[in-house]
Amino acid sequence: MGYPRLTYDDYIENIDYWLGDRGVELPLWANEIAEKGYRSVCAIDFYDDIFGDDLEESRLPEDYRSGEYGGIAVERIPTNDSKKYRGKRVTVTEGNMELYDLIERSENFCMIAPVSYIGKQRTNKNARYLYALVIEIDDIEPKNGIDELFYSWRRKNLTMPQPTYVACSGSGLHLYFVFERPIPLFQNMFEQLTEVKKHFTTLFWNKYVTNSHQPEKIQYESVNQPFRCVGSVAKNGRAYVMAFKTGEKVTIEYFNKHLPQDKQMNAIYKSNLPLVKAKELYPEWYQKRIVEGKERGHWNRYEGIYYNWIEKMKNGAVVGHRYNCLENLCSLAVQCNIAPEQVEKDCRELAEVMEELTEKEDNHFTEYDVLCALKTYHNADEGAYRRKIEYIAKKTGIPLEPNKRNGRKQKLHLKLARANRDILCEERGKADWREGNGRPDKAKIVEEWQESHPDGKKADCIRDTGLSKPTVYRWWKEGEAL
């Protein structure tokens, strides 16, 4: 079990109980930090200060609301194989009670990142807000390492940023720089913060602080790297992670004062604009989104784009990108208003095609992959509507080129395209561009096939006529007397 209310002071005052009766040891460096006059805080105070009331409310999955994000803690649970573990995810909501319950009941390695996520997957794509930047320092020089580390943010020259908290993780330290306001993890901010973290990690891992200061030994971790929970068991199984308050909360501007010019960040924060002020500044937005409760508007796209992507998948999907190809199809299904039964049917048909690409027994394309992809369709959040072509091409491995207008406005570009089309038609002796372009002919083929097969299905029409699936679907007449 863990100890969400345990502090250093409580441990020292009741050392006979903690060490004698419970067998709980202090984590390394806790005594040295306490001797410097820093106050220890328990896990509850620690995470309350980091997340505040900013996480989503606790509610049932069917009551999920878009635009709200939760924390994700992970418990590493041993399996029958002593060398293998499985991870159990715990969603943390407003008040952090799920996290405190996990710390208290678990005897396993528990970790959490000071990040909120949309959904249940702890991925860079799903990360929404960063509440603290954390730097881990290991293999601290035993004689003067702690003194040198704490001196680094008190000295007058080449001053380092001062962390808000220092957590003793068992053998090393975690420096928590807690932000006054959470940082939205847009792609550009994620990249900037990654560079900032790498820069400060290199400076903190110097020869005066750690014995592992050589470049190949420095641990460069992701911005959303999870760390052992304060109050949970440390690596040796006998000590528990303790945190000390060492400074104030920080801002991007504070970091920039300690950064070279080429690494300074943009000051972009999570908006805290009061609704009263928003009503004054953006009355139309306020009326639509707050008063009427309407969702953000979206453009719907022509369904042919959906079927065109199916053909691209059949011809261009490769192992390693199969899931992303199918997931993008579900995104297009949202944009093109494709019926749910059609989407599921297409996904399962394509799953068979994807499975045929399997080369290794441990890498089959399964029903689980299909269900995960379909979540994009059924959730239909902002991520399903707004995707850049570069992102799609990178994730799916299928080359895509944006339509080029050579810098022209769309209206002018279309006007020029139509004029060019009419000139070509005149040159070919056609009165109208629709003559002989294939569309009426193909529509007629589908119409005649339906007349001859009143109980026929689209799949039969595709097979008998040799027309493509998008063409048949385009001209198929549902429930009409032919």
Side-chain angles (χ1 to χ4, degrees):
M1 61 181 295
Y3 301 99
R5 299 183 182 277
L6 177 62
T7 66
Y8 175 85
D9 292 335
D10 179 52
Y11 181 94
I12 295 301
E13 290 174 5
N14 302 279
I15 193 168
D16 290 339
Y17 168 77
W18 288 109
L19 184 59
D21 298 345
R22 307 293 299 184
V24 174
E25 299 178 356
L26 280 174
L28 200 59
W29 311 117
N31 279 325
E32 287 80 355
I33 296 176
E35 287 173 0
K36 293 180 181 298
Y38 293 105
R39 178 176 61 88
S40 174
V41 296
C42 68
I44 294 176
D45 292 337
F46 179 78
Y47 289 110
D48 277 357
D49 192 34
I50 289 178
F51 290 115
D53 295 325
D54 204 52
L55 300 181
E56 66 183 31
E57 295 179 11
S58 178
R59 54 172 60 91
L60 296 174
E62 57 266 28
D63 296 325
Y64 168 78
R65 298 177 186 174
S66 62
E68 295 187 343
Y69 317 106
I72 297 180
V74 178
E75 180 183 13
R76 195 176 72 167
I77 300 175
T79 64
N80 293 331
D81 185 337
S82 59
K83 296 182 179 180
K84 294 183 178 180
Y85 299 85
R86 66 179 180 88
K88 181 180 180 181
R89 178 193 54 77
V90 175
T91 299
V92 181
T93 61
E94 183 180 4
N96 312 318
M97 292 309 300
E98 301 89 350
L99 176 60
Y100 304 144
D101 289 342
L102 172 65
I103 293 172
E104 186 165 19
R105 68 169 172 75
S106 179
E107 297 179 354
N108 299 315
F109 173 14
C110 300
M111 55 186 177
I112 188 172
V115 175
S116 62
Y117 294 88
I118 182 172
K120 298 180 179 180
Q121 294 186 356
R122 192 173 50 82
T123 63
N124 291 355
K125 173 186 171 184
N126 290 349
R128 285 300 177 264
Y129 293 102
L130 180 71
Y131 295 83
L133 190 71
V134 188
I135 294 175
E136 181 176 17
I137 304 178
D138 283 335
D139 196 17
I140 294 172
E141 201 280 320
K143 187 175 182 181
N144 299 309
I146 287 292
D147 292 335
E148 291 292 341
L149 174 64
F150 279 71
Y151 175 67
S152 68
W153 55 76
R154 295 200 305 268
R155 64 195 180 204
K156 294 182 179 180
N157 296 320
L158 301 175
T159 310
M160 296 291 289
Q162 183 172 357
T164 315
Y165 294 98
V166 173
C168 303
S169 63
S171 58
L173 298 176
H174 299 158
L175 312 184
Y176 280 79
F177 300 88
V178 181
F179 293 108
E180 287 184 359
R181 294 166 58 190
I183 307 298
L185 287 176
F186 303 125
Q187 183 62 34
N188 65 322
M189 284 306 299
F190 192 96
E191 293 171 356
Q192 290 182 56
L193 286 162
T194 297
E195 289 301 311
V196 168
K197 182 172 181 177
K198 183 177 181 181
H199 174 79
F200 285 135
T201 300
T202 302
L203 295 180
F204 277 120
W205 284 62
N206 62 68
K207 64 181 180 180
Y208 303 107
V209 174
T210 172
N211 291 321
S212 299
H213 57 274
Q214 294 86 354
E216 66 276 7
K217 294 184 179 180
I218 298 178
Q219 297 178 19
Y220 296 109
E221 295 152 332
S222 171
V223 168
N224 56 347
Q225 169 74 24
F227 295 91
R228 289 182 186 271
C229 299
V230 172
S232 68
V233 67
K235 190 174 183 179
N236 63 13
R238 297 184 299 277
Y240 289 79
V241 181
M242 284 186 177
F244 293 82
K245 181 72 181 294
T246 55
E248 302 302 320
K249 291 188 176 182
V250 302
T251 63
I252 286 179
E253 292 82 0
Y254 174 76
F255 271 138
N256 284 343
K257 292 179 181 179
H258 299 83
L259 288 167
Q261 188 70 33
D262 62 333
K263 294 188 182 299
Q264 292 185 4
M265 297 179 287
N266 300 323
I268 301 176
Y269 296 98
K270 178 179 178 181
S271 174
N272 62 353
L273 183 68
L275 284 178
V276 174
K277 189 67 175 177
K279 180 180 180 180
E280 176 186 339
L281 296 175
Y282 312 108
E284 293 182 2
W285 172 89
Y286 185 89
Q287 177 65 28
K288 178 180 177 182
R289 299 294 300 281
I290 305 302
V291 178
E292 300 177 14
K294 292 182 178 179
E295 293 290 331
R296 182 180 180 182
H298 304 290
W299 290 101
N300 290 323
R301 306 177 71 184
Y302 173 56
E303 65 180 22
I305 297 172
Y306 170 86
Y307 293 111
N308 181 260
W309 183 253
I310 289 178
E311 298 304 315
K312 287 183 181 295
M313 285 181 61
K314 290 179 178 178
N315 297 322
V318 296
V319 174
H321 294 281
R322 294 176 294 181
Y323 166 78
N324 295 109
C325 286
L326 196 63
E327 191 272 341
N328 189 63
L329 179 71
C330 294
S331 169
L332 291 173
V334 173
Q335 300 171 38
C336 300
N337 286 328
I338 306 299
E341 58 271 18
Q342 185 63 48
V343 178
E344 296 197 14
K345 178 177 178 293
D346 291 336
C347 283
R348 288 191 164 80
E349 288 179 357
L350 285 165
E352 296 179 9
V353 178
M354 300 296 102
E355 172 58 11
E356 290 175 3
L357 302 176
T358 300
E359 297 174 349
K360 298 180 180 179
E361 282 301 311
D362 61 349
N363 194 25
H364 287 281
F365 198 82
T366 66
E367 175 72 3
Y368 177 76
D369 296 308
V370 175
L371 293 175
C372 288
L374 284 169
K375 286 182 180 179
T376 295
Y377 177 82
H378 293 298
N379 290 344
D381 61 9
E382 289 294 317
Y385 278 97
R386 291 171 168 81
R387 296 188 175 188
K388 292 184 177 180
I389 193 171
E390 298 84 0
Y391 169 85
I392 297 172
K394 181 178 179 181
K395 297 293 286 185
T396 64
I398 295 178
L400 297 171
E401 291 292 335
N403 292 327
K404 295 183 179 180
R405 301 202 297 262
N406 299 319
R408 305 185 191 101
K409 296 290 186 180
Q410 184 184 52
K411 186 175 181 180
L412 175 59
H413 179 78
L414 292 175
K415 188 175 181 180
L416 291 172
R418 291 174 185 131
N420 187 53
R421 176 198 65 201
D422 294 339
I423 292 171
L424 291 174
C425 286
E426 183 180 347
E427 197 173 67
R428 293 168 185 164
K430 297 177 182 178
D432 191 274
W433 64 274
R434 297 175 183 82
E435 286 186 27
N437 72 340
R439 290 180 62 189
D441 291 341
K442 292 177 181 178
K444 191 172 183 179
I445 292 172
V446 175
E447 182 180 349
E448 290 177 349
W449 189 92
Q450 282 192 270
E451 290 177 350
S452 303
H453 306 80
D455 297 325
K457 299 179 180 179
K458 295 172 189 172
D460 300 326
C461 181
I462 294 169
R463 183 184 63 251
D464 294 347
T465 63
L467 296 176
S468 67
K469 185 174 183 178
T471 299
V472 171
Y473 275 66
R474 173 69 180 87
W475 300 109
W476 189 268
K477 296 182 179 180
E478 296 280 5
E480 296 183 15
L482 301 175

